[in-house]
Amino acid sequence: MKITEVTALPISVGGNYAALANAYEWAVIIVLIKTDEGLTGIGEASLAGQGRGVLGILDHFGEMLVGQDPDRIEHWWSEMVRGTFWSNGQVIMSAAAGIDMALWDLKGKALGVPVWSLLGGPTREKVRVYVHLKGQTADELIEDALARKEAGYTALRYGPMAAFEHEPLTHWDPQKSIRETIKGTERIREAVGEEIDLLIDAHTMYTPAEAAYLGHALEPFRLFFYEDPIRPLNPNSLKLVRDKVNLPIATGEQFAHKWEFQPIIEQELVDYLRIDLVHAGGITEGKKILAMGEAHGQRSALHHASSPVNGVACLHLDLAIPNFGIQEWMELEPLYELFPNAPRANAGYVTPLSGPGFGLEFDEAEARKRPSRDARLPQRYWLDGAHADY
Ligand code: MG
């Protein structure tokens, strides 16, 4: 079998993320690899706000791959990642991820088996997911939390309070946010009861000292994990938080590859590995990072905030790994219109499609009607107008 075509489809579906009203159009990049045997593999290479850079890299990779054998996934991964000579960031690793996922899908389709079977076979029957609560205030979050609990979800995630209440995001006051997040979390825990797992994503907004103070104060409310307390690239800063907070820590969605995960895995500064398969080299790299974490008692919590292509790639990997923790889950309705059989959560779990490959249907003709040039991500500012982490 030979690759005949590598196509990148930048798609915009409109719609807004609940926490960022009107700020940002949802854009994704779908990668299609076609072969001389009539098979098509699908992958995703979205990188919000930097999509045109990814498209440029995909153009390089497509030129390299046309005429080649798609069976050699590990080899082409090395050609894309090691073959550049450069140390690679998320623009290159997102492009590599799109190709990698499409090659796994293609291999499954060629052999007539699901991707989870190629990855070692199922270690579980279904995948436990957590969902994002809608709302900014404790009252709004409690209302949605009770509705989700009623629908069968047992793991609920929300962000820091007083962090998204002004649009545009020009009112960042970390002390107010810390105060309200502590008071709000106490109320949410009381409202949902002890049986529900609560997850807070601090979204890298705090300094190490602020994050340590907040995390310590949240300990009585027993979080499932405390996510991205700080920007995670400096392991020393993460150690400061780690040493002062008795809660499981989750991080990694900003990392591009195993070498960025390596120090926090080896120094045991993390409990849940938040790999984004779309930004960190795809399934091939995700499986290796999780194997590194397995040796340190760390579990998976794959990041998912994009199309059903990433959703199904996560599910196939979740189903096959031994150290699964939990799966982030989003069903962005405008994107689901392009993927008629995309899986949906039911009573807190998702069952992966049975394949072959990812088993995912894609309406390419409809997708081509919705081209995108991608948009800048929302920016966050202090009260004095200076840029703040987000
Ligand atoms: Mg996050």
Side-chain angles (χ1 to χ4, degrees), residues 14-200:
N16 296 295
Y17 181 42
L20 303 169
N22 303 318
Y24 156 68
E25 177 117 328
W26 209 278
V28 297
I29 296 172
I30 302 301
V31 176
L32 300 175
I33 298 184
K34 299 189 179 176
T35 70
D36 59 357
E37 293 186 11
L39 294 175
T40 299
I42 191 166
E44 181 173 350
S46 313
L47 185 61
Q50 297 185 319
R52 278 169 273 163
V54 177
L55 291 172
I57 300 297
L58 282 169
D59 195 43
H60 285 285
F61 290 165
E63 203 171 73
M64 178 181 87
L65 288 165
V66 168
Q68 303 291 356
D69 176 3
D71 192 45
R72 305 179 69 194
I73 298 176
E74 189 75 40
H75 175 72
W76 296 124
W77 196 95
S78 297
E79 291 272 322
M80 291 187 289
V81 178
R82 309 301 283 264
T84 58
F85 179 75
W86 314 113
S87 64
N88 300 310
Q90 272 137 332
V91 172
I92 290 173
M93 296 307 288
S94 298
I99 300 286
D100 180 82
M101 283 182 190
L103 292 177
W104 279 104
D105 183 39
L106 207 49
K107 190 189 282 284
K109 284 171 174 162
L111 297 173
V113 295
V115 170
W116 47 256
S117 177
L118 300 173
L119 295 170
T123 55
R124 68 205 70 251
E125 292 164 10
K126 54 187 181 174
V127 173
R128 188 187 182 209
V129 296
Y130 71 88
V131 288
H132 292 209
L133 294 181
K134 291 195 201 86
Q136 310 296 326
T137 65
D139 286 331
E140 291 164 346
L141 292 167
I142 287 169
E143 187 184 336
D144 197 37
L146 294 175
R148 298 291 190 144
K149 183 181 174 184
E150 183 69 26
Y153 291 99
T154 56
L156 307 174
R157 171 268 193 208
Y158 55 97
M161 287 167 219
F164 296 99
E165 60 194 356
H166 294 277
E167 186 67 44
L169 304 172
T170 52
H171 283 64
W172 179 232
D173 177 349
Q175 292 304 323
K176 181 180 178 198
S177 174
I178 287 168
R179 286 194 306 274
E180 295 200 6
T181 303
I182 295 167
K183 279 189 265 176
T185 298
E186 182 173 14
R187 289 188 54 210
I188 293 170
R189 169 56 75 206
E190 203 174 280
V192 299
E194 284 298 324
E195 306 279 294
I196 297 293
D197 283 322
L198 297 176
L199 303 77
I200 291 187

Side-chain angles (χ1 to χ4, degrees), residues 13 51 67 83 91-92 110 118 127 132 135 152 178-179 185 197 241 247 259 298 328-329 335 350 355 357 372-373:
V13 291
V91 172
I92 290 173
L118 300 173
V127 173
H132 292 209
I178 287 168
R179 286 194 306 274
T185 298
D197 283 322
V241 179
L247 290 171
W259 296 281
Q298 296 153 359
E328 183 174 35
W329 195 247
L335 276 170
V350 184
S372 165
R373 275 177 54 78

Side-chain angles (χ1 to χ4, degrees), residues 157 201 203 227-228 253 274 303 328:
R157 171 268 193 208
D201 181 358
H203 224 274
E227 176 182 351
D228 277 343
E253 70 184 70
R274 295 277 289 137
H303 182 249
E328 183 174 35

